[in-house]
Amino acid sequence: MAETKRVYGFGKDASGVNTTEGNKDMKFILGGKGANLAEMANMGLPVPPGYTITCQACMEYYDKDPAAYPEGLEEEIAVYTADLEKKMGKKLGDVHDPLLVSVRSGSPFSMPGMMDTVLNLGLNDESVLGLIEQTGDECFAWDSYRRFIQMFSKVVLDVEGDVFENALTLKKRARGVENDNELLATDLKELVDEFKDIVAKEVSAKDYPELVADGKVAFPQDVNRQLHQSIEAVFRSWNNRRARDYRAMEKIPDDLGTAVNIQVMVFGNKGDGSATGVGFTRNPADGTNEYYGDYLTNAQGEDVVSGIRNTDPIAELKNEPGLEAAGIELDNVFAKLEDAYKDMCDIEFTIENGVLWMLQTRIGKRTANAALKIAVDMVNEGKITKEEAIMRVNPTQLDQLLHPQFDPDKKYEVIAKGLNASPGAAVGRCVFSADAAEEATAAGEKVILVRWETTPDDLHGMIAAQGILTSHGGKTSHAAVVARGMGKPCVCGVDKLKIDAAAKQAVVAGTDIVLTEDTVISIDGTTGSLVLGKADLIEPEVSGDFGTILDWADEFRTMGVRANADSPEDALLSREFGAEGIGLTRTEHMFLGDRKDIIQDFILAIGDKEAQQTALNKLLDIQVQDFLGIFAAMDGLPVTVRLLDPPLHEFLDSPRDLAVEICKEECDGASVESLAAKKKLLSLIDSMAEMNPMLGLRGCRLGIMFPELYGMQVRAITRAACELKKQGKDPRPEIMIPLVSAKAELEILRAEAEVIIAEVKAETGADPAISIGTMIELPRAAVCAKEIGEVADFFSFGTNDLTQTVFGFSRDDIESKFLPTYLERKVLPYNPFETLDDGVAKVVKIGCKKGRKANPDIKLGVCGEHGGDPESIDKFYKIGLNYVSCSPYRVPIARLATARAALADKK
Ligand code: PEP
Ligand code: MG
């Protein structure tokens, strides 16, 4: 039996021959970073050699109890390490010419900054002298060693990074310098000793007995131990909190594991002829076709993203003495990568003594605006097809553009400006820590997370906040990259903002403005503005590249897209967004506000036919107006109107409030008549109470119990349609009966409706086509869909109620009760009220199949929340629905998602 291969090499051997074993299609084995390093090496780009330990090895590590290397891995690593040493002619830990490596994570899906990295591995008290011997650069060698101790101790030994940063800050202060690279070799050597003391103090001998020497913890000198401990730490980082949070947010499966890349170190901190940077082949914020990124001379990779020093734009590289040639070569690399990947790539690079090295590439994350522009531009440049362009834009990400923006016609007092790192506007109260953001959001508040710069530990706060504001860091800083990935507005690098997180406040320099936890601010990630107070926001529009992509999507989609809308305004908005009809008008929303009294009169007059009819007559006139408005707005398009659905008690006053009122009035000595009336009302309301109202007298059951109620609604729909028809318009109402479980319910209600429709048509002389169908929201309706289909022109799957009734979960309670625990304990993979559950999908499928059997022309749609969710739309496509219906703002998302489902199927 062939042994499982767990390690793959990449790069050239000593004679310049490419010995790479992987390629870009192996990301589920080598992780994204490993697969792309292999690909770059195969393309002949300058990649420092190394090897990748597979994602499967990581999962095997977790399969052991306690977690441990799988058998044979250590030996395989030894073979590849020896090979790397041979390729480089250097040895790990050598006292004269040491090989130094980086140990980096890299999972199949990019999880920027979520997992761990160790750089400069292979340094110890002896090999640092070898590094000096080789480079003649004491500053560089001692700086590399102090960085290694700091990183290894944080990642492997769990020492707080701040302790080292504080020691570094104190040293700089003592020497009267600002920047790390102004410290002398002697300072750095002293820092190494201080850092080792920190390790002795901070690391518990009990937790790391193997590190104890002379009664205290010593920084590990054995380079092999350094290597294996770092690899294990990277494996472990797959399951740290921020990685788990990120995966949950991005719906990345937990069982993929991370690969570990061990790669020869190249140094960007060898003086002014060296640099390190990150870049994108196009602008990831707005999509402009330009090389984009930042670099720092004489620095290591983490310095760029950590925002420790302010970076220079990548266009400057070619003007930097000693870096000109590398700058020109980098342009060539950008062009080659875009040609090879046919997409915007992001890269990490290092220039060591004028020589360019590529450390990473991947398909770059981008804002929704950039995704649209890049996709459209690449079609126009002849690089990709329209179909590919559609597949490039993530429908969920479009949500970013469907959020409000600052109203450009209004004036705002911009108190500070920063970088426009991630578009969209956000308004909220300031909070100064991730935990505070999470707490406030859990309490239903909207907040802006204000930080000097974010780190991966802030992820939960970034998820919770409406937007992110930082005082430091560039457009490739952690805050910017992560916010763009999440589609959250972000303004970063507002250097006028002097933040004191401990005191929970920030001062806007040069002003007397102090932001505290009581201050509401607005940020605009499109312009980089910070505004005091609540700014006026405007609604989004579908135009430009957005409109182009959606027009292309319409060419390929086979499913219709409708909107759920209950008013003429919403109907018009959804039409602007491209809805091809209304899939659900919830008529109960028309009985609120000043109409509530009338429906209450109807309900409370039960048993008094005359009084009930008076109330219904009033409602009839109002409903005719409602339908006139909606049908006119959707002229020529279908409008599915659902007859009254909720339990009637939802229109009545709360019995608890009423009881309190009666009590108060009794104490205040109210009149006997007033008290008697209120008590009668209370007993009536009480008599209507049900133990399970959502399973009670609601939906079509109301129509069976109160035929005159549904009769009034059918009459209003038909009158409005006839009126418009007579005006030469083209109204297309579809009457939908909710919550049917038995054929007879629909049969009876349909027959009654048809009588009224015929009556109104005869009265008016108009003859609009009006179809009658039902919602499928109950398991019985789905399994008996063949019989029900015989009397229905259409089915609309109400997947909100269907999810509730298939699972037996209360849709109104689960999210605040046990769903979070169910998700955390992996009882459920996701919230089934957001994304269609596979079990519920099976029920929908049964309903469709049986409905079509009864009536091959039956129209099948969905109007539950799932109709606007791209993942659910894929499932509906596979089931074979004719259309999806969702809230107006999700119509563009659904247009793209339905096209993608059709294209994926074609592929
Ligand atoms: C449904 O149940 O899916 C539905 C659309 O109806 P409502 O959400 O109004 O119950
Ligand atoms: Mg429902």
Side-chain angles (χ1 to χ4, degrees), residues 776-847:
I776 303 287
E777 302 176 276
L778 297 170
R780 190 181 191 282
V783 295
C784 297
K786 187 158 167 297
E787 294 84 78
I788 296 173
E790 286 164 8
V791 286
D793 300 322
F794 62 87
F795 283 169
S796 179
F797 288 86
T799 46
N800 303 333
D801 271 311
L802 193 60
T803 302
Q804 166 164 268
T805 51
V806 168
F807 271 105
F809 286 163
S810 163
R811 64 191 259 198
D812 299 308
D813 301 311
I814 164 173
E815 282 163 19
S816 63
K817 294 285 190 296
F818 58 87
L819 183 64
T821 307
Y822 263 44
L823 295 177
E824 204 174 296
R825 299 199 60 191
K826 309 245 175 293
V827 178
L828 291 175
Y830 48 78
N831 179 351
F833 288 98
E834 275 172 16
T835 297
L836 189 74
D837 164 70
D838 289 336
V840 179
K842 282 185 191 161
V843 179
V844 175
K845 194 172 173 182
I846 291 171

Side-chain angles (χ1 to χ4, degrees), residues 643-868:
L643 304 188
L644 201 65
D645 179 49
L648 292 184
H649 74 84
E650 286 192 11
F651 297 105
L652 298 176
D653 294 331
S654 143
R656 191 189 289 185
D657 290 350
L658 195 55
V660 171
E661 212 179 301
I662 291 170
C663 250
K664 269 193 189 154
E665 286 197 6
E666 269 171 348
C667 293
D668 294 348
S671 72
V672 179
E673 296 77 34
S674 157
L675 277 170
K678 289 209 162 130
K679 282 184 180 167
K680 187 170 164 224
L681 181 61
L682 181 60
S683 77
L684 234 164
I685 294 175
D686 280 343
S687 73
M688 297 189 70
E690 294 174 291
M691 294 302 275
N692 290 309
M694 291 307 276
L695 301 178
L697 179 53
R698 57 168 288 216
C700 65
R701 300 158 199 174
L702 289 170
I704 300 281
M705 295 291 288
F706 310 110
E708 56 287 357
L709 181 62
Y710 271 20
M712 177 277 291
Q713 292 200 291
V714 172
R715 194 174 297 280
I717 293 167
T718 317
R719 271 200 195 162
C722 288
E723 164 79 33
L724 291 171
K725 192 84 184 171
K726 281 169 68 181
Q727 291 173 17
K729 295 210 164 69
D730 182 15
R732 299 192 183 178
E734 301 175 335
I735 295 175
M736 181 152 77
I737 316 280
L739 215 76
V740 161
S741 58
K743 177 184 177 183
E745 289 170 327
L746 185 59
E747 211 167 22
I748 293 170
L749 294 171
R750 179 177 188 124
E752 289 175 359
E754 278 171 345
V755 169
I756 294 171
I757 293 170
E759 249 174 59
V760 178
K761 284 186 179 179
E763 275 162 32
T764 58
D767 187 18
I770 301 177
S771 56
I772 299 177
T774 182
M775 291 185 83
I776 303 287
E777 302 176 276
L778 297 170
R780 190 181 191 282
V783 295
C784 297
K786 187 158 167 297
E787 294 84 78
I788 296 173
E790 286 164 8
V791 286
D793 300 322
F794 62 87
F795 283 169
S796 179
F797 288 86
T799 46
N800 303 333
D801 271 311
L802 193 60
T803 302
Q804 166 164 268
T805 51
V806 168
F807 271 105
F809 286 163
S810 163
R811 64 191 259 198
D812 299 308
D813 301 311
I814 164 173
E815 282 163 19
S816 63
K817 294 285 190 296
F818 58 87
L819 183 64
T821 307
Y822 263 44
L823 295 177
E824 204 174 296
R825 299 199 60 191
K826 309 245 175 293
V827 178
L828 291 175
Y830 48 78
N831 179 351
F833 288 98
E834 275 172 16
T835 297
L836 189 74
D837 164 70
D838 289 336
V840 179
K842 282 185 191 161
V843 179
V844 175
K845 194 172 173 182
I846 291 171
C848 283
K849 218 168 128 191
K850 295 193 177 233
R852 281 221 171 93
K853 210 168 212 166
N855 173 2
D857 296 329
I858 197 163
K859 241 189 296 174
L860 302 173
V862 56
C863 61
E865 283 305 299
H866 306 89

Side-chain angles (χ1 to χ4, degrees), residues 394-396 866-875 890 893-894 897 901:
N394 174 352
T396 310
H866 306 89
D869 170 63
E871 249 182 88
S872 310
I873 288 174
D874 272 344
K875 298 183 187 185
R890 299 195 111 193
I893 296 175

Side-chain angles (χ1 to χ4, degrees), residues 51-348:
Y51 58 84
T52 304
I53 302 169
T54 63
C55 301
Q56 288 68 33
C58 171
M59 291 322 289
E60 286 181 76
Y61 170 83
Y62 281 111
D63 284 344
K64 295 226 163 187
D65 190 15
Y69 269 9
E71 271 86 54
L73 179 61
E74 192 167 341
E75 291 74 12
E76 217 177 330
I77 291 172
V79 170
Y80 275 84
T81 306
D83 181 58
L84 197 57
E85 289 178 333
K86 201 165 134 219
K87 277 179 180 158
M88 302 309 295
K90 293 169 184 247
K91 276 193 167 328
L92 273 182
D94 195 275
V95 289
H96 294 295
D97 188 8
L99 172 69
L100 303 188
V101 294
S102 60
V103 180
R104 293 171 197 259
S105 58
S107 65
F109 295 102
S110 152
M111 296 171 48
M114 301 303 140
M115 291 179 292
D116 287 330
T117 289
V118 177
L119 300 179
N120 303 338
L121 188 142
L123 282 172
N124 58 22
D125 293 351
E126 290 182 337
S127 64
V128 69
L129 302 176
L131 195 60
I132 296 174
E133 188 178 324
Q134 285 302 315
T135 60
D137 189 341
E138 284 196 52
C139 261
F140 160 69
W142 288 111
D143 188 43
S144 300
Y145 193 20
R146 75 94 194 154
R147 283 170 185 268
F148 173 53
I149 298 174
Q150 180 169 353
M151 233 181 188
F152 183 93
S153 304
K154 180 166 187 258
V155 169
V156 180
L157 306 177
D158 265 341
V159 181
E160 278 290 330
D162 285 356
V163 213
F164 296 104
E165 279 304 325
N166 290 345
L168 180 63
T169 307
L170 285 179
K171 183 67 72 190
K172 283 190 283 190
R173 209 171 284 162
R175 295 291 173 262
V177 297
E178 278 252 327
N179 292 317
D180 303 2
N181 56 8
E182 292 169 277
L183 290 170
L184 304 175
T186 45
D187 303 325
L188 294 162
K189 188 162 182 268
E190 277 171 27
L191 266 180
V192 164
D193 288 333
E194 287 168 28
F195 279 15
K196 286 198 281 190
D197 289 343
I198 290 174
V199 172
K201 197 162 142 242
E202 299 287 329
V203 178
S204 130
K206 226 168 55 219
D207 293 341
Y208 295 92
E210 71 279 12
L211 299 184
V212 177
D214 298 333
K216 61 178 194 171
V217 172
F219 186 76
Q221 297 292 309
D222 176 342
V223 290
N224 252 317
R225 173 174 286 163
Q226 291 176 358
L227 178 65
H228 290 296
Q229 284 189 316
S230 299
I231 292 171
E232 271 206 59
V234 173
F235 281 163
R236 280 200 307 272
S237 71
W238 172 252
N239 266 343
N240 66 30
R241 171 168 179 191
R242 52 182 198 256
R244 281 186 282 120
D245 284 352
Y246 188 84
R247 285 201 296 276
M249 180 179 75
E250 297 285 317
K251 296 201 178 134
I252 297 172
D254 284 327
D255 60 359
L256 296 177
T258 179
V260 187
N261 298 288
I262 289 86
Q263 188 175 26
V264 170
M265 283 295 302
V266 283
F267 295 95
N269 55 338
K270 275 192 172 172
D272 289 341
S274 299
T276 187
V278 295
F280 295 81
T281 57
R282 298 192 184 210
N283 185 321
D286 64 15
T288 305
N289 189 357
E290 64 187 359
Y291 299 150
Y292 180 97
D294 308 289
Y295 72 95
L296 275 176
T297 51
N298 196 13
Q300 270 199 330
E302 74 271 19
D303 301 341
V304 180
V305 275
S306 67
I308 282 168
R309 271 159 60 200
N310 282 333
T311 51
D312 290 315
I314 221 157
E316 291 297 311
L317 201 54
K318 291 193 284 288
N319 307 322
E320 193 89 54
L323 300 177
E324 304 92 335
I328 292 168
E329 195 183 350
L330 187 62
D331 284 358
N332 291 334
V333 169
F334 275 137
K336 279 189 188 159
L337 284 174
E338 258 215 9
D339 275 352
Y341 285 84
K342 300 211 180 312
D343 202 347
M344 179 193 82
C345 297
D346 85 7
I347 58 158
E348 277 179 28

